[in-house]
Amino acid sequence: MYVGGATHLLLQAVYYGIRPPYQLGLIVQEMDYIGIRSLTVVNVIAIFAGMVLALQTAYALSRFGAKGFIGVVVAISMVREIGPVFTAIMVGGRVGSGITAEIGSMKVTEQIDAIRVMGANPVKKLVVPKLVATVLVLPLLTIVADILGILGGLIISVLELQVNSYYYFTTILENISLQDMASGVGKAFFFGFIIAVIGCYQGMVTKGGTEGVGRSTTTTVVLVSIMVLVSDFFLTKLFMLL
């Protein structure tokens, strides 16, 4: 029942999203909330993820005398896996719960019914801008996380492991491919759909007053985390076949 309801909401959002008038002002407003205000948390996590990855990678590679390839391992790991997944989980927890709280509060205070009474469509007015903004912003945040994670790996490589920075970047440029980058950005695109649809659907089905809003936001965080990790497995298999 849950999957059917969420899929129905997604199809409604796509239908109303391609029909004019377009809510460009609301989309920009949502992109600011989802993207700009998520940058700080994404930046901090990405840098430290890259630094930890460099430390652990160096420990393993040094056993085989291949410490010089630390840049390649950090870059491919960040671009293909850690960047998109960490970004989706962090942004999903923050943005997904925020979307649910906003729409859920409107639902329990009957503001959504008021929107219908005024002749507007709540899916077009509330869901479409959040869905479009999340799908557009998440790949951009993932690219920022990838870059900062690689720079975090550079810091550890230079200061702790005495790897030359020129060699670090040269090995990355020689070995990373467009397919690696497309895989990570493609995952982020799908993760954006997951975060927005779960957040909006949980808000739309909220009931039970303020306690119900709290339960819905908690459910959103849990579901987003699970669905990002589960879908990551299947998306990884899919992109490996392409």
Side-chain angles (χ1 to χ4, degrees), residues 17 26 48 64-65 75 80 103 108 116 190 197 227:
L26 290 175
F48 280 94
F64 307 99
R80 293 188 68 99
I103 297 179
V108 298
R116 289 196 182 94
F190 285 103
V197 170
M227 288 305 299

Side-chain angles (χ1 to χ4, degrees), residues 16-129:
Y16 289 113
I18 60 178
R19 290 165 61 94
Y22 303 111
Q23 312 280 347
L24 294 180
L26 290 175
I27 292 173
V28 172
Q29 185 178 331
E30 294 293 339
M31 290 178 72
D32 172 66
Y33 171 74
I34 297 169
I36 303 299
R37 300 185 187 184
S38 299
L39 268 177
T40 302
V41 65
V42 170
N43 291 349
V44 171
I45 288 175
I47 289 176
F48 280 94
M51 294 169 71
V52 171
L53 185 59
L55 283 174
Q56 295 287 9
T57 303
Y59 175 74
L61 291 180
S62 60
R63 296 183 177 182
F64 307 99
K67 200 168 63 176
F69 291 97
I70 187 171
V72 181
V73 178
V74 170
I76 292 179
S77 300
M78 285 299 305
V79 169
R80 293 188 68 99
E81 196 64 39
I82 296 177
V85 172
F86 273 33
T87 302
I89 290 177
M90 293 309 303
V91 174
R94 176 185 174 276
V95 173
S97 60
I99 290 174
T100 300
E102 179 186 343
I103 297 179
S105 298
M106 296 179 71
K107 178 74 185 304
V108 298
T109 56
E110 300 181 349
Q111 293 180 58
I112 292 180
D113 294 331
I115 291 174
R116 289 196 182 94
V117 170
M118 288 187 293
N121 187 297
V123 173
K124 187 173 184 63
K125 187 175 181 58
L126 299 176
V127 177
V128 171

Side-chain angles (χ1 to χ4, degrees), residues 12 15 35 62 96 107 111 127 149 163 193 220 228 232:
Q12 281 187 303
Y15 175 74
S62 60
K107 178 74 185 304
Q111 293 180 58
V127 177
V163 174
F193 270 105
T220 295
V228 165
D232 179 52

Side-chain angles (χ1 to χ4, degrees), residues 54 57-75 153-154 156-158 160-175:
T57 303
Y59 175 74
L61 291 180
S62 60
R63 296 183 177 182
F64 307 99
K67 200 168 63 176
F69 291 97
I70 187 171
V72 181
V73 178
V74 170
L154 172 68
I156 295 299
S157 300
V158 172
E160 295 280 338
L161 309 172
Q162 287 75 50
V163 174
N164 184 276
S165 59
Y166 176 79
Y167 185 75
Y168 179 90
F169 282 117
T170 301
T171 55
I172 291 175
L173 294 175
E174 288 178 349
N175 292 281

Side-chain angles (χ1 to χ4, degrees), residues 195-206:
I195 294 168
V197 170
I198 291 177
C200 291
Y201 183 68
Q202 281 296 134
M204 285 292 189
V205 298
T206 296

